[in-house]
Amino acid sequence: MAFDSTGKQKLIEHMRAIVGAEAVLGAETNLDAYAIDRRRYYHGKPIAVVKPGSTAEVAAVVRKCAETGTAIVPQGGNTGLVGGATPDESGNELILNLSRMNRIRALDIANNTLTAEAGCILAVLQQAARDNDRLFPLSLAAEGSCEIGGNLSTNAGGTGVLHYGNTRELALGLEVVLPSGEIWDGLRGLRKNNTGYDLKHLFIGAEGTLGVITAAVLKLFPMPTGRATAIVAIDSARTAVELLARVQAYCGERVTGFEFFSQFCVDLVTRHYPACQSPFTVRFPHYVLVELSDSRPDAEVQALLEETLGRAIEQDLVRDVAMAMSAGQSRQFWALRENISEAQAAEGRNIKHDVSVPISGIAEFIHAADAAVERVFPGVRLVTFGHIGDGNLHYNISPPTDMPGDAFLDRAAEVNAVVHDIVARFNGSISAEHGLGKLKREEITRYKSALELDMMRRVKAALDPAGIMNPGKVL
Ligand SMILES: Cc1cc2nc3c(=O)[nH]c(=O)nc-3n(C[C@H](O)[C@H](O)[C@H](O)COP(=O)(O)OP(=O)(O)OC[C@H]3O[C@@H](n4cnc5c(N)ncnc54)[C@H](O)[C@@H]3O)c2cc1C
């Protein structure tokens, strides 16, 4: 609904009455941190930013919005990469920021669960688990600022998916405020519950289009006592896939990290983050970071990884290995991998693709995509890295050195079509972990069947008939 300035002022007064004056940020405040997305693609114009402190306040805000037909944009840490948490430029959408809802409501150690409000920062939850000798395994480079509500709403992936699964697999129960303002209390800590549709899965990965997640029951795991990390130099993506199979065959479920990156990724990181250095003095085409975790002591896990990689060297699969000899060195290895995305951003504008294909097809996919992209855009710089153990690649492209970043971005649709058509040929997904948001809302219509899109629209219409929840995102 379009508001005039009196209507907006009245709505803001209502919001202040619900959440308190200091928790409503209006035009008098610089709202850039909320209104501009992380990649600075989208510059929204919200009516205001409303920060409720409890589920009851969220419900009251949503009820008022339903009554007035006001569009709501739920927001967590605003680290999403597809513009999902950014309002449009109409000046008629309200940002509902969950950051004040940051309490851990319960820790049930015997049940291995933690109940947290949506605004809890991911790193805080990881620490809370560690303090109780447990592991909350969701881990991604934005963990210091992204929030669990955002992680659930995007079904975030990250570096632990290979062993522990996506955020969806880590959630046992949810509390959700529906677009009507009703509160659904589904905060159950059950690992078995076959009592009809598992409704929580509708809201996980829905990017705020079906309701507002206010709290969740999350799975915890025993804290591994032993870890071993290595960076392994290899020739190609094909070798990475072969190595993954060998490492899994020798080490089984202990493989908790298997990340792929190229020499060019290392060059970018070492240029923009000089504290990060390659462990090798020689350059190799590609690398994988391998991590094992176990309940056995460090030395045993280290010995297993050394033996496994030693065999791979004998079999001529691996060119060189750098083993982390301390927890500090392991962190340095991870920093080399985790700073790639930010280093590419520091290098200038780029076009990102967050894609997945079956692991068996990943080497052929890279080969086909590289050839097609080079043919259409000669001289581009390919920054290919990612969670290869999950079949998920960040297939990112920087412009040729002599092309201005903005001119390259103007051609994003062409670049995307080249890459995504090849993804489709390999039966893959054009959004493996970041979601659709605003960025891929149109693009997805080229790759999902009409029936699949129609089923999604029917679910949306059933839960949010007035279309007030995050309009213009996903669908
Ligand atoms: C450096 C960097 C590295 C990253 N690495 C990864 C990675 O490895 N894997 C990965 O999956 N992602 C990654 N991301 C993307 C991003 O961090 C994740 O998508 C994260 O889960 C978003 O959390 P957030 O709290 O910032 O959500 P936001 O950006 O605030 O919101 C994301 C979406 O969720 C909705 N939303 C937020 N909170 C709620 C709520 N409580 N209820 C309903 N809807 C809500 C928003 O409307 C929006 O659509 C990375 C981002 C950066 C900047």
Side-chain angles (χ1 to χ4, degrees):
M1 148 157 185
F3 289 95
D4 60 20
S5 56
T6 320
K8 276 185 198 171
Q9 205 43 49
K10 255 175 94 178
L11 185 73
I12 289 174
E13 290 312 321
H14 275 298
M15 294 301 151
R16 287 191 172 131
I18 297 168
V19 300
E22 69 293 341
V24 178
L25 310 178
E28 69 288 350
T29 315
N30 181 345
L31 297 180
D32 285 0
Y34 306 92
I36 301 175
D37 75 301
R38 171 74 179 216
R39 301 180 67 197
R40 305 192 74 79
Y41 278 4
Y42 303 107
H43 293 240
K45 287 205 183 87
I47 302 172
V49 178
V50 179
K51 296 179 145 193
S54 68
T55 304
E57 287 184 5
V58 174
V61 167
V62 174
R63 272 198 306 275
K64 191 73 212 170
C65 289
E67 193 187 305
T68 53
T70 308
I72 300 168
V73 181
Q75 188 177 78
N78 199 19
T79 68
L81 299 173
V82 291
T86 312
D88 68 13
E89 293 174 22
S90 66
N92 293 313
E93 298 188 346
L94 197 77
I95 294 180
L96 182 61
N97 182 291
L98 278 296
S99 303
R100 276 182 67 222
M101 286 195 62
N102 58 3
R103 284 185 317 128
I104 293 178
R105 290 191 192 165
L107 248 162
D108 184 341
I109 292 301
N111 196 41
N112 269 322
T113 52
L114 179 156
T115 305
E117 291 185 342
C120 288
I121 288 179
L122 175 55
V124 171
L125 296 183
Q126 294 166 341
Q127 187 58 46
R130 264 195 302 275
D131 291 345
N132 289 276
D133 204 24
R134 294 292 186 278
L135 174 74
F136 182 57
L138 181 64
S139 174
L140 47 138
E143 63 199 21
S145 48
C146 64
E147 298 173 8
I148 193 65
N151 302 143
L152 287 157
S153 300
T154 56
N155 185 26
T159 53
V161 175
L162 185 61
H163 185 75
Y164 297 101
N166 291 291
T167 309
R168 187 183 295 285
E169 278 83 42
L170 302 175
L172 292 175
L174 290 187
E175 179 186 82
V176 180
V177 173
L178 302 182
S180 57
E182 294 161 286
I183 300 170
W184 172 50
D185 180 355
L187 286 177
R188 301 182 191 96
L190 304 175
R191 286 172 173 78
K192 286 189 165 182
N193 176 22
N194 284 342
T195 52
Y197 307 134
D198 197 342
L199 295 172
K200 65 177 178 290
H201 289 305
L202 280 178
F203 301 97
I204 299 173
E207 300 180 56
T209 59
L210 299 180
V212 183
I213 296 174
T214 46
V217 183
L218 304 165
K219 278 190 207 167
L220 301 179
F221 295 82
M223 180 57 97
T225 45
R227 271 217 174 88
T229 316
I231 294 187
V232 182
I234 52 171
D235 282 330
S236 65
R238 189 180 301 280
T239 317
V241 173
E242 251 186 274
L243 183 65
L244 172 65
R246 306 258 179 112
V247 174
Q248 284 179 320
Y250 290 131
C251 307
E253 287 296 296
R254 297 177 190 87
V255 189
T256 48
F258 202 88
E259 298 286 317
F260 174 77
F261 46 99
S262 63
Q263 177 63 52
F264 184 52
C265 296
V266 174
D267 292 342
L268 285 176
V269 174
T270 50
R271 185 178 315 150
H272 295 285
Y273 292 86
C276 293
Q277 284 306 315
S278 167
F280 303 106
T281 48
V282 182
R283 295 164 68 83
F284 296 99
H286 297 278
Y287 303 91
V288 283
L289 185 156
V290 186
E291 184 162 275
L292 304 186
S293 310
D294 199 12
S295 53
R296 308 298 303 159
D298 267 343
E300 283 185 34
V301 189
Q302 183 97 358
L304 178 64
L305 185 57
E306 273 171 15
E307 185 193 324
T308 307
L309 296 175
R311 287 189 200 196
I313 289 177
E314 281 165 22
Q315 290 156 345
D316 227 12
L317 205 57
V318 160
R319 300 273 295 274
D320 203 351
V321 172
M323 293 287 304
M325 301 315 287
S326 64
Q329 204 175 11
S330 166
R331 278 194 296 276
Q332 283 169 9
F333 285 7
W334 274 106
L336 200 55
R337 157 64 187 87
E338 290 192 328
N339 283 320
I340 297 171
S341 183
E342 300 287 277
Q344 190 182 17
E347 182 79 1
R349 298 294 232 173
N350 64 79
I351 299 175
K352 288 186 191 298
H353 304 96
D354 161 41
V355 304
S356 63
V357 297
I359 296 169
S360 49
I362 213 153
E364 283 73 12
F365 163 77
I366 294 175
H367 183 71
D370 285 0
V373 170
E374 299 266 12
R375 206 167 34 248
V376 186
F377 306 96
V380 289
R381 292 167 294 159
L382 299 163
V383 182
T384 309
F385 63 98
H387 319 294
I388 201 166
D390 314 321
N392 175 196
L393 284 179
H394 299 304
Y395 190 83
N396 297 349
I397 308 179
S398 290
T401 41
D402 57 355
M403 185 179 199
D406 286 338
F408 186 55
L409 281 197
D410 287 345
R411 301 189 64 185
E414 284 170 77
V415 178
N416 293 342
V418 171
V419 174
H420 290 161
D421 283 357
I422 295 171
V423 171
R425 230 171 65 205
F426 280 80
N427 246 326
S429 165
I430 66 159
S431 187
E433 56 177 14
H434 296 161
L436 298 173
K438 225 183 273 206
L439 187 70
K440 295 183 188 166
R441 180 179 92 115
E442 299 292 335
E443 187 78 349
I444 195 62
T445 59
R446 300 181 55 215
Y447 301 102
K448 266 195 198 292
S449 72
L451 179 60
E452 211 169 345
L453 288 168
D454 187 47
M455 286 194 292
M456 283 168 62
R457 283 189 200 106
R458 282 189 241 173
V459 171
K460 169 80 175 166
L463 283 170
D464 181 21
I468 62 166
M469 287 306 308
N470 218 0
K473 317 291 167 47
V474 180
L475 283 168

